[in-house]
Amino acid sequence: MGDMTNSDFYSKNQRNESSHGGEFGCTMEELRSLMELRGTEAVVKIKETYGDTEAICRRLKTSPVEGLPGTAPDLEKRKQIFGQNFIPPKKPKTFLQLVWEALQDVTLIILEIAAIISLGLSFYHPPGESNEGCATAQGGAEDEGEAEAGWIEGAAILLSVICVVLVTAFNDWSKEKQFRGLQSRIEQEQKFTVVRAGQVVQIPVAEIVVGDIAQIKYGDLLPADGLFIQGNDLKIDESSLTGESDQVRKSVDKDPMLLSGTHVMEGSGRMVVTAVGVNSQTGIIFTLLGAGGEEEEKKDKKAKQQDGAAAMEMQPLKSAEGGDADDKKKANMHKKEKSVLQGKLTKLAVQLWGVSLVMSAITVIILVLYFTVDTFVVNKKPWLPECTPVYVQYFVKFFIIGVTVLVVAVPEGLPLAVTISLAYSVKKMMKDNNLVRHLDACETMGNATAICSDKTGTLTTNRMTVVQAYVGDVHYKEIPDPSSINAKTMELLVNAIAINSAYTTKILPPEKEGALPRQVGNKTECGLLGFVLDLKQDYEPVRSQMPEEKLYKVYTFNSVRKSMSTVIKMPDESFRMYSKGASEIVLKKCCKILNGAGEPRVFRPRDRDEMVKKVIEPMACDGLRTICVAYRDFPSSPEPDWDNENDILNDLTCICVVGIEDPVRPEVPEAIRKCQRAGITVRMVTGDNINTARAIAIKCGIIHPGEDFLCLEGKEFNRRIRNEKGEIEQERIDKIWPKLRVLARSSPTDKHTLVKGIIDSTHTEQRQVVAVTGDGTNDGPALKKADVGFAMGIAGTDVAKEASDIILTDDNFSSIVKAVMWGRNVYDSISKFLQFQLTVNVVAVIVAFTGACITQDSPLKAVQMLWVNLIMDTFASLALATEPPTETLLLRKPYGRNKPLISRTMMKNILGHAVYQLTLIFTLLFVGEKMFQIDSGRNAPLHSPPSEHYTIIFNTFVMMQLFNEINARKIHGERNVFDGIFRNPIFCTIVLGTFAIQIVIVQFGGKPFSCSPLQLDQWMWCIFIGLGELVWGQVIATIPTSRLKFLKEAGRLTQKEEIPEEELNEDVEEIDHAERELRRGQILWFRGLNRIQTQIEVVNTFKSGASFQGALRRQSSVTSQSQDVANLSSPSRVSLSNALSSPTSLPPAAAGHPRREGVP
């Protein structure tokens, strides 16, 4: 089924549907067209055609309360008629396609051309070949048998090109396979809550069928299209489908349409699923993308790149749409030059490519000049027409040598090493509970200098239990005895907790005997429900008496309210509202409190201050989170205006205040200590009370008593970083962030401001690299802004996961430390590989170059060079890139952005070893024949048999590389290069394997490899010279680097290059593409907001007559939710944005799309 194309799949579904349509009251076609309508149109259509949503449920044979019966035949039938909730994946690239892509490499193309010309010429025997007049400069007879073998060199080059191509293609193929595996793993974990046979169950997204009743809540990403049947306060972000950044309020009577791929930003509710898979709105778009042939496919690729995440998280899409890691890498390159390493590598590659191009050009020119001068000037030979092919053959040989120099000089192995290293790390990081979604995040993490972590669930266990309570004027330091609480108070308490919490939150019996009860749903609510159970009461009967459908109005929790309230209708038609939330916020709204007898007494501001001092602060200082539970009664008439929240959430009566403990994870203090030792500052950003936050921070070791640090509340933080006009100023942030360790009572905007402030800061000489953890929908912007965003795998919402780069599958802070370790390891592995590769490059290029210029023939033949290239590139990248990380990596500070990729120590090693190798190779080249008493291989004629002399040079060269590979394992000048060598079996296998193959090549390679078999004593000498590398390595290690001032570093990012152009235009890019390619714009709403503010800023600036530039300059720093939005009339905004869209930094998207022009 997987390899059916979208269109086949689609037409097959169509056929099915037409044959079965009659079994249900509506066909797939009808439902599909219904889902294409929006808002009032849809409501009218539902009324006209079906009556109401209930009627649709009846037609689909499902019950809004009980859901589907869930029997296998019924589900099967629905899948057949309405399709499955899965979008057939785009076919992965075949191996041949990958081979074709690998062949596009410029250097390989040059080699192929050279080899083909060489082959062609070797088969062409012109008449003049026997002509004495053509006898070339190098003289020497060529016997017939050898002439026949002229084709071997060309063929051998082709063969080695094929080798390189196959290796590259295989690597890409396995990379893609890994990526798809990783994806299917994410897919299997993606579950959704539906009601079947009256039971609430979680099923994999692909199992959802039409007619299912799905429960949706804050933070969900909708897996299918459906109609809203019941719920509270539901707001959806539909920007991924419409590009409109405003949140859309859903209600049964105004806009019941819920579309797949959109995000729930607030509230909760239930929907009946009406379209799945290819028939859902997102599915239709994917089908359009997939069906349009080649040019569409290109666009499609772009759309994929935009957000490889899109499909990964659009989970019903059981597809690798986010797929090929290749696309992924391109996507990331495109996203913004986020990765420090990528920047440095690009820089280095350009430097190397330039040098090697010049070298190879000079080589060819010198060879050609020497030959022509020698033949036609010195020996005064005429150019005879019949000799032309012979001369041409010489020129081809020179060209091949030149290309060989180029091939060896360019480290094509670099991308391979990076890929292998990243792919290997990503695979291993899965075991360390890090699910990497963007390959480069893994390496960026190694450079992290700051981590902004959530408290709940990351630093703590996220298992909430009530340990203290203040009820009926008594502060209980442990759970009170139920008999000591007044019956009236008890009843109110139980009702307030049971009804005013999500009904999806429950406490289930433990899975194993003796384990703790399982907490399902919101953990704070679980803590409160646990409190009810500890008081020997039960919340289930209360809930069954007052089912969810009967709740009159719900104000769901969000980061602004910091409280949740539920209104119910009492038997006497009056209303009662239960409220719970952060104690200092809810207590401010209380004007009464229940006393010991269960009667409300007056609660004045001074009583409140006393309570804060005597109850709340002591609880908070024990690291407890304090929650206040309250209620309020309303008369039946006149019915209150429920939309006027400020009046409703007031005049409350406090029932109790509880202190909830969320213990610190036992492994966190140690993990934080490691981070601090590794030069990473950990900051805690939490919504909790400042005293609670400080207590937990001390327990974790984020702050130590007596240190100079700041703990701020969100309000105070905002006051300090904004100027009189309420704008954020970078200089003000720079005064705060270096000392800030705890930010309490913070809103998601504060988190984003802090992250952005640290990243944009020029306060330190290195730009800070910031990692952020987040689990809530509102953490999206901060996760996106950070260099590396970690989302929680267990507690995280889909939106957070989608904005993140790495998902922590165990929600544990200590897994972040593992990510740092792996990140640094990737960086070091690539440095090791470079150190090895560049030594070989320097030596091979100089040998080929001087050899060619002095003896007209490179001592290392094209085929031998390609073999060396294979050792260097493929094998070495495998061997050095798979070194496992060690704890010692955490003992040094991060490298930072401005530190060059090749440090002085590495440069010393590269040049030092190059000197050793060159000295020996030139010694062998010029006096080798005397040392070994063999014939000289210099000045051999064309097609002459391979000489022992040159074979010894080639063999020695390879031996030196093998032993130098062991030296390359250390890059910081350590002495013991064998340290931990057996922990890396891949390395040992490769070194021994290469050695074995080398023996085969030398002894049996013969003509194709230009090798002549060697005697045992000659072999011994080669190995002995190779071993000298290890001794020489120790000599180099003794020379202090500080003395060698002349050594240059390479691959360094300067401050200017650090922010490439595209990063400056990052907003432009992302929005522009979002428009073009239906990018799943999870974050557009935030950007939109930002844009409104810029426009408002501009308007205000005009009003105040200040300089226009100033407003633009501020755009980047303004994220404040300016209040002027309300009192600015729409037309003025539109016209202004029109006027400004060209000269200012408003994205092209604004100019090109009238629909988005004014206000997002």
Side-chain angles (χ1 to χ4, degrees):
M1 174 106 169
D3 43 58
M4 229 194 287
T5 65
N6 283 351
S7 36
D8 306 345
F9 184 79
Y10 193 68
S11 48
K12 177 164 177 272
N13 265 348
Q14 291 291 318
R15 287 199 299 281
N16 279 347
E17 179 255 322
S18 50
S19 58
H20 291 283
E23 303 201 12
F24 292 96
C26 32
T27 63
M28 182 172 81
E29 206 36 56
E30 289 166 16
L31 290 174
R32 233 182 87 190
S33 53
L34 171 66
M35 290 318 293
E36 279 162 16
L37 303 173
R38 300 280 177 274
T40 37
E41 287 179 20
V43 177
V44 173
K45 171 88 174 150
I46 292 173
K47 276 220 172 74
E48 286 173 0
T49 321
Y50 304 100
D52 60 4
T53 41
E54 299 244 330
I56 294 183
C57 290
R58 282 197 295 279
R59 291 196 182 198
L60 289 173
K61 301 187 179 165
T62 179
S63 140
V65 184
E66 297 282 311
L68 291 177
T71 56
D74 176 55
L75 296 178
E76 206 36 60
K77 190 162 73 185
R78 284 172 195 272
K79 278 185 190 164
Q80 274 183 353
I81 296 177
F82 298 110
Q84 288 176 302
N85 195 22
F86 127 108
I87 290 176
K90 227 170 108 207
K91 287 201 203 79
K93 288 195 182 123
T94 58
F95 190 68
L96 287 174
Q97 280 170 311
L98 292 170
V99 167
W100 178 243
E101 278 178 18
L103 279 169
Q104 312 298 312
D105 189 65
V106 187
T107 341
L108 289 180
I109 292 174
I110 298 175
L111 270 181
E112 287 152 26
I113 294 169
I116 289 165
I117 295 175
S118 163
L119 268 179
L121 288 170
S122 70
F123 287 125
Y124 174 55
H125 298 297
E129 193 153 303
S130 50
N131 188 331
E132 280 310 303
C134 309
T136 50
Q138 274 120 321
E142 201 188 286
D143 70 53
E144 275 305 293
E146 294 300 342
E148 295 303 306
W151 59 273
I152 290 180
E153 184 142 350
I157 293 182
L158 276 184
L159 190 73
S160 47
V161 165
I162 291 169
C163 255
V164 172
V165 166
L166 287 179
V167 168
T168 316
F170 179 74
N171 261 309
D172 286 347
W173 179 79
S174 58
K175 196 166 69 181
E176 190 161 312
K177 193 159 148 265
Q178 254 182 7
F179 208 82
R180 282 170 186 261
L182 183 137
Q183 213 152 326
S184 61
R185 171 169 166 178
I186 296 186
E187 274 163 17
Q188 285 150 14
E189 287 180 354
Q190 184 83 10
K191 294 212 166 36
F192 209 80
T193 314
V194 297
V195 181
R196 284 195 178 163
Q199 294 294 314
V200 178
V201 288
Q202 286 211 325
I203 58 170
V205 163
E207 297 294 311
I208 292 177
V209 293
V210 171
D212 256 326
I213 303 295
Q215 289 199 347
I216 49 182
K217 61 180 187 311
Y218 157 85
D220 281 342
L221 185 137
L222 301 183
D225 291 355
L227 297 173
F228 185 47
I229 41 182
Q230 174 264 323
N232 345 302
D233 224 6
L234 191 68
K235 287 190 188 156
I236 306 273
D237 169 17
E238 295 189 345
S239 57
S240 52
L241 284 180
T242 61
E244 296 297 336
S245 58
D246 292 345
Q247 294 176 22
V248 187
R249 231 203 160 95
K250 297 290 178 187
S251 61
V252 180
D253 45 357
K254 293 204 181 65
D255 182 1
M257 314 309 270
L258 299 173
L259 308 174
S260 58
T262 58
H263 293 131
V264 183
M265 299 313 277
E266 228 182 87
S268 61
R270 291 206 256 186
M271 70 169 187
V272 55
V273 176
T274 52
V276 293
V278 280
N279 305 306
S280 67
Q281 291 305 299
T282 312
I284 291 170
I285 291 163
F286 272 111
T287 311
L288 291 176
L289 286 173
E294 277 306 289
E295 123 226 30
E296 278 293 347
E297 208 161 80
K298 281 187 200 120
K299 273 196 202 154
D300 195 19
K301 247 211 197 106
K302 268 217 200 99
K304 292 303 137 42
Q305 287 168 20
Q306 276 320 304
D307 200 338
M312 281 179 71
E313 291 289 297
M314 253 313 298
Q315 258 357 59
L317 321 180
K318 270 273 195 291
S319 72
E321 299 289 12
D324 358 10
D326 247 19
D327 274 13
K328 196 74 181 181
K329 273 224 306 262
K330 282 183 225 151
N332 280 346
M333 286 298 291
H334 166 92
K335 196 159 95 193
K336 53 184 172 180
E337 191 94 23
K338 189 174 185 181
S339 158
V340 185
L341 185 68
Q342 273 172 357
K344 292 180 180 179
L345 283 174
T346 316
K347 189 92 191 292
L348 189 70
V350 171
Q351 290 168 344
L352 290 171
W353 185 221
V355 173
S356 44
L357 212 58
V358 172
M359 291 288 275
S360 63
I362 295 175
T363 313
V364 176
I365 293 166
I366 290 181
L367 285 172
V368 172
L369 281 176
Y370 191 99
F371 176 74
T372 39
V373 169
D374 195 51
T375 312
F376 303 119
V377 180
V378 181
N379 294 340
K380 302 201 170 44
K381 295 258 170 63
W383 179 298
L384 302 170
E386 64 269 23
C387 291
T388 309
V390 182
Y391 296 146
V392 169
Q393 213 161 349
Y394 267 103
F395 291 146
V396 169
K397 183 178 166 190
F398 299 150
F399 177 63
I400 287 184
I401 290 172
V403 173
T404 312
V405 171
L406 180 66
V407 170
V408 172
V410 176
E412 298 95 35
L414 250 182
L416 195 67
V418 177
T419 310
I420 291 177
S421 183
L422 285 172
Y424 172 76
S425 304
V426 167
K427 205 171 171 136
K428 292 285 188 215
M429 281 168 81
M430 292 279 278
K431 292 198 175 79
D432 284 339
N433 304 309
N434 282 295
L435 186 76
V436 180
R437 291 187 52 228
H438 296 144
L439 274 181
D440 61 356
C442 157
E443 164 273 320
T444 309
M445 206 43 223
N447 282 310
T449 53
I451 297 175
C452 294
S453 172
D454 272 358
K455 175 178 79 71
T456 311
T458 314
L459 300 173
T460 59
T461 54
N462 203 6
R463 192 183 166 86
M464 309 276 190
T465 40
V466 172
V467 290
Q468 295 187 20
Y470 179 87
V471 193
D473 292 342
V474 187
H475 182 177
Y476 297 94
K477 287 291 171 75
E478 51 216 29
I479 300 287
D481 187 290
S483 58
S484 64
I485 296 175
N486 178 291
K488 260 196 274 184
T489 312
M490 182 69 93
E491 189 193 352
L492 272 168
L493 180 63
V494 173
N495 281 336
I497 291 174
I499 293 171
N500 186 28
S501 56
Y503 279 33
T504 45
T505 303
K506 306 187 188 53
I507 292 198
L508 301 177
E511 282 175 337
K512 290 202 267 314
E513 201 111 319
L516 294 164
R518 279 181 301 154
Q519 297 188 339
V520 181
N522 179 313
K523 299 297 192 236
T524 310
E525 290 179 353
C526 286
L528 291 168
L529 291 174
F531 180 50
V532 171
L533 297 177
D534 289 340
L535 292 172
K536 310 282 186 284
Q537 307 292 315
D538 192 1
Y539 61 87
E540 283 296 347
V542 181
R543 283 186 174 179
S544 40
Q545 245 177 343
M546 178 60 66
E548 211 168 351
E549 307 71 74
K550 283 202 191 156
L551 301 180
Y552 196 78
K553 169 91 184 152
V554 178
Y555 300 95
T556 46
F557 180 89
N558 64 22
S559 52
V560 181
R561 286 190 190 121
K562 288 233 186 287
S563 67
M564 169 180 177
S565 312
T566 306
V567 181
I568 59 169
K569 215 170 187 165
M570 304 296 279
D572 62 358
E573 296 296 307
S574 66
F575 300 98
R576 174 169 288 174
M577 175 179 78
Y578 294 114
S579 244
K580 68 164 190 286
S583 56
E584 58 263 50
I585 290 168
V586 178
L587 278 178
K588 279 192 184 129
K589 298 175 178 166
C590 289
C591 62
K592 297 196 184 91
I593 185 165
L594 294 181
N595 63 17
E599 299 300 331
R601 66 172 170 83
V602 181
F603 185 61
R604 291 183 297 272
R606 70 158 184 271
D607 300 335
R608 184 172 63 236
D609 296 343
E610 190 183 348
M611 184 154 167
V612 167
K613 251 200 222 65
K614 298 235 173 100
V615 179
I616 291 172
E617 283 185 1
M619 281 187 186
C621 292
D622 292 340
L624 304 184
R625 173 185 259 190
T626 55
I627 301 281
C628 175
V629 182
Y631 77 103
R632 178 183 176 185
D633 287 329
F634 296 94
S636 52
S637 67
E639 183 169 332
D641 171 11
W642 299 114
D643 289 338
N644 185 350
E645 252 181 75
N646 291 345
D647 289 355
I648 301 287
L649 296 180
N650 228 328
D651 293 342
L652 305 177
T653 305
C654 168
I655 303 172
C656 74
V657 174
V658 294
I660 296 183
E661 182 182 43
D662 183 8
V664 172
R665 287 175 181 265
E667 62 280 1
V668 163
E670 175 57 21
I672 286 179
R673 200 159 56 250
K674 281 182 188 164
C675 281
Q676 288 163 342
R677 203 170 50 214
I680 303 169
T681 311
V682 182
R683 294 181 174 81
M684 182 161 100
V685 182
T686 173
D688 249 345
N689 168 318
I690 187 147
N691 296 323
T692 311
R694 193 184 289 120
I696 298 276
I698 291 173
K699 284 184 189 168
C700 293
I702 292 177
I703 53 184
H704 303 286
E707 275 182 4
D708 180 20
F709 57 79
L710 284 172
C711 291
L712 294 180
E713 284 202 333
K715 273 195 192 129
E716 174 64 8
F717 173 68
N718 274 307
R719 195 181 62 69
R720 291 198 190 188
I721 61 172
R722 292 172 194 273
N723 58 18
E724 302 69 55
K725 295 199 191 108
E727 293 144 355
I728 296 172
E729 286 186 355
Q730 186 63 44
E731 303 82 72
R732 289 172 178 245
I733 296 185
D734 285 349
K735 287 196 188 109
I736 292 178
W737 74 257
K739 286 188 181 172
L740 183 69
R741 292 293 176 272
V742 176
L743 185 57
R745 281 279 174 252
S746 67
S747 68
T749 327
D750 296 339
K751 192 173 192 174
H752 179 263
T753 309
L754 176 66
V755 172
K756 185 174 185 310
I758 298 179
I759 288 178
D760 294 347
S761 170
T762 47
H763 181 74
T764 45
E765 73 271 23
Q766 298 275 8
R767 133 134 157 63
Q768 295 277 313
V769 178
V770 184
V772 170
T773 67
D775 50 9
T777 304
N778 44 26
D779 289 330
L783 289 170
K784 209 62 173 165
K785 177 68 194 167
D787 295 286
V788 183
F790 285 92
M792 301 298 141
I794 305 167
T797 56
D798 297 348
V799 184
K801 288 181 190 171
E802 190 166 316
S804 69
D805 303 295
I806 298 180
I807 295 174
L808 293 178
T809 49
D810 63 346
D811 289 13
N812 193 338
F813 186 84
S814 56
S815 303
I816 298 178
V817 182
K818 300 256 178 58
V820 172
M821 212 154 78
W822 276 107
R824 292 186 172 189
N825 192 48
V826 167
Y827 196 98
D828 280 8
S829 297
I830 286 159
S831 297
K832 289 172 190 173
F833 172 70
L834 274 172
Q835 176 171 302
F836 172 68
Q837 165 120 36
L838 292 178
T839 312
V840 187
N841 282 6
V842 171
V843 175
V845 170
I846 294 177
V847 166
F849 177 72
T850 43
C853 300
I854 298 168
T855 63
Q856 277 67 67
D857 183 12
S858 169
L860 297 171
K861 298 291 179 288
V863 182
Q864 296 174 348
M865 286 291 226
L866 280 162
W867 160 237
V868 169
N869 224 7
L870 204 69
I871 303 184
M872 287 188 330
D873 285 5
T874 314
F875 294 159
S877 62
L878 253 174
L880 293 167
T882 51
E883 289 266 324
T886 56
E887 289 278 333
T888 47
L889 287 167
L890 294 175
L891 298 177
R892 62 170 173 78
K893 300 273 178 278
Y895 283 140
R897 296 192 160 234
N898 313 359
K899 184 163 188 313
L901 198 55
I902 294 175
S903 62
R904 278 235 176 94
T905 314
M906 286 167 64
M907 201 52 109
K908 175 182 78 174
N909 291 342
I910 291 171
L911 297 178
H913 287 293
V915 167
Y916 173 83
Q917 297 185 9
L918 286 169
T919 316
L920 282 159
I921 285 176
F922 284 131
T923 312
L924 287 175
L925 181 59
F926 296 112
V927 293
E929 71 270 29
K930 296 190 188 68
M931 286 161 54
F932 287 103
Q933 281 112 31
I934 45 178
D935 296 336
S936 166
R938 295 195 299 283
N939 299 339
L942 203 60
H943 302 315
S944 60
S947 65
E948 275 187 336
H949 182 191
Y950 275 14
T951 308
I952 289 179
I953 294 178
F954 165 58
N955 198 19
T956 309
F957 181 62
V958 172
M959 286 305 124
M960 290 195 289
Q961 297 329 321
L962 271 185
F963 287 103
N964 193 30
E965 195 163 340
I966 299 173
N967 277 330
R969 291 183 64 246
K970 300 291 174 218
I971 48 175
H972 298 300
E974 297 93 328
R975 285 214 174 263
N976 181 3
V977 289
F978 291 102
D979 177 37
I981 195 164
F982 295 115
R983 284 221 314 279
N984 186 359
I986 301 182
F987 183 87
C988 305
T989 319
I990 283 177
V991 170
L992 296 174
T994 316
F995 184 63
I997 299 173
Q998 178 65 17
I999 296 177
V1000 174
I1001 287 177
V1002 171
Q1003 296 307 97
F1004 311 104
K1007 189 76 205 219
F1009 279 97
S1010 318
C1011 284
S1012 147
L1014 299 180
Q1015 259 79 50
L1016 188 63
D1017 59 326
Q1018 293 167 334
W1019 263 102
M1020 282 305 150
W1021 273 107
C1022 294
I1023 293 175
F1024 175 71
I1025 294 173
L1027 272 168
E1029 267 288 7
L1030 293 174
V1031 181
W1032 183 246
Q1034 294 302 313
V1035 175
I1036 296 178
T1038 317
I1039 306 168
T1041 315
S1042 48
R1043 290 282 169 79
L1044 309 171
K1045 288 275 183 282
F1046 60 88
L1047 287 180
K1048 279 273 180 288
E1049 304 150 327
R1052 179 190 196 123
L1053 278 180
T1054 54
Q1055 211 63 38
K1056 276 205 186 64
E1057 286 153 349
E1058 192 184 307
I1059 306 179
E1061 271 303 278
E1062 59 264 42
E1063 191 157 297
L1064 296 172
N1065 302 333
E1066 171 211 359
D1067 283 16
V1068 182
E1069 282 285 75
E1070 295 221 6
I1071 288 211
D1072 197 52
H1073 288 303
E1075 279 295 336
R1076 270 213 320 274
E1077 268 118 11
L1078 292 151
R1079 173 172 175 265
R1080 318 256 339 284
Q1082 46 310 70
I1083 211 162
L1084 287 180
W1085 55 277
F1086 198 84
R1087 286 256 164 76
L1089 185 77
N1090 224 341
R1091 202 140 11 107
I1092 297 181
Q1093 283 145 9
T1094 312
Q1095 291 162 9
I1096 288 161
E1097 276 304 309
V1098 172
V1099 174
N1100 288 350
T1101 316
F1102 276 144
K1103 278 191 197 155
S1104 61
S1107 87
F1108 179 48
Q1109 276 325 88
L1112 289 178
R1113 230 175 290 131
R1114 281 196 304 268
Q1115 181 205 357
S1116 57
S1117 63
V1118 174
T1119 31
S1120 65
Q1121 301 186 352
S1122 198
Q1123 292 311 308
D1124 318 8
V1125 180
N1127 52 31
L1128 233 172
S1129 64
S1130 200
S1132 70
R1133 251 179 298 174
V1134 175
S1135 54
L1136 264 166
S1137 78
N1138 279 340
L1140 305 177
S1141 62
S1142 30
T1144 74
S1145 55
L1146 288 180
H1153 296 269
R1155 175 164 63 70
R1156 300 270 322 255
E1157 216 144 52
V1159 184

